[in-house]
Every structure is written in C-alpha cells, then in structure tokens.
Amino acid sequence: MNWICLLIFALFSIAAVVKDIRELMIPDWTIIAGSAALLAYQALFARDLIAQGLLGAALSPLLFYAVRRITNFGMGLGDVKYSILCGLCAGANLAFLSYAAASLICALYFASKYLLDKKTGKKNGHKAKIPFAPFMAAGILAVCTAARAIL
C-alpha cells in the first residue's frame, strides 16, 4: 500500500460512500473501475503490492459474505462487493485490521448517536439500516495511513 493506492481508493470510494449514505446502494461501476485502476497502477508501478492486494480482494468478500449469511442477509451485497476494492487497496495484511477499525468506528458513531438521541428525547427506530461503506472506507484510510506513517 502506498499513497497513490490510497488516493485511487479514495477517489472511487467517494461516489460509493455518497450513494450508500443516500440510497443504501453501492454502484458496481465504482468497484469495477476502482479495482481496474488500482490493478493497473500496481501492475505498472507497484508490482510488490499485487500479491497482497489480490489476496485481500479474494478473502475480503468471503468474510463479508459470511457476515451477510450469519446476519440473515442483514448486510447488503454491495458491501460484500465493495470489500473487493477495499481488500485490493489495503492488501490482506491490513484489510482485516481495517475492517475491525471500521466496525469500531461504526459502533462508536451509533452509540454516540443513541446517547444524543436519548438526551434530546428523540425516538430511535428499532431496525435502522446502516450504510456500512463509509465506515469501511474510513477504516481502510485510517489503518493504511497509520501503517504507512509507521513503516
């Protein structure tokens, strides 16, 4: 993972994140075009990243599909497909740490939202749908930036 990979990931993730927040849907073109751009960059300029990226892109959707099945299809298929782009960017070595960070960020966000709603007297819906792509993107960017700074 390097800064250019993170930039490519961020550029294609913007559209995915915005669409997921607005409509709970991640456009396939963001995943396909982003993956193609990352692979092209890695093939031409960062060959040392290809193996880890492809492994991350192969293993990530397996994890997210398992979560989708365990939650009785509570997680959308868009998140499963988006994990391909995430895994390709972060590589297998950082992808799963990024997903743990994404889950933590998501939990903190909704816990604080719950507490704020409770304090203001606002009623919470019992089954809110969660756009998870913003948290996945934040986890990837946070962990990969921290790893890049440390290494």
Side-chain angles (χ1 to χ4, degrees), residues 4 6 47 49 68-69 75 78 83 87 98 108 116 121 124:
I4 296 175
L6 281 177
R47 290 193 178 142
L49 301 177
R68 178 176 159 81
R69 292 297 305 236
M75 175 171 274
S83 73
S98 298
L108 290 172
L116 183 63
N124 294 309

Side-chain angles (χ1 to χ4, degrees), residues 1-149:
M1 175 273 322
N2 62 31
W3 295 115
I4 296 175
C5 285
L6 281 177
L7 179 62
I8 293 168
F9 171 78
L11 289 173
F12 286 97
S13 289
I14 290 170
V17 165
V18 169
K19 187 82 166 178
D20 197 28
I21 290 170
R22 288 183 179 169
E23 301 175 26
L24 294 171
M25 185 202 132
I26 301 170
D28 287 343
W29 73 264
T30 61
I31 299 160
I32 295 167
S35 297
L38 273 172
L39 276 174
Y41 171 76
Q42 290 173 352
L44 293 172
F45 303 108
R47 290 193 178 142
D48 57 314
L49 301 177
I50 290 177
Q52 275 294 317
L54 289 175
L55 187 59
L59 295 177
S60 292
L62 296 176
L63 169 70
F64 280 90
Y65 189 75
V67 170
R68 178 176 159 81
R69 292 297 305 236
I70 290 167
T71 62
N72 198 24
F73 300 96
M75 175 171 274
L77 195 54
D79 296 316
V80 176
K81 293 185 283 185
Y82 182 64
S83 73
I84 295 168
L85 179 60
C86 294
L88 189 58
C89 176
N93 54 351
L94 293 177
F96 295 97
L97 182 58
S98 298
Y99 303 144
S103 299
L104 179 62
I105 295 166
C106 183
L108 290 172
Y109 172 79
F110 281 100
S112 63
K113 185 177 180 329
Y114 173 78
L115 292 174
L116 183 63
D117 288 349
K118 189 173 179 179
K119 186 176 183 179
T120 61
K122 188 175 178 184
K123 298 287 182 191
N124 294 309
H126 69 284
K127 273 207 162 188
K129 293 190 178 198
I130 299 172
F132 198 59
F135 301 106
M136 291 170 71
I140 293 288
L141 292 171
V143 168
C144 290
T145 301
R148 183 77 180 139

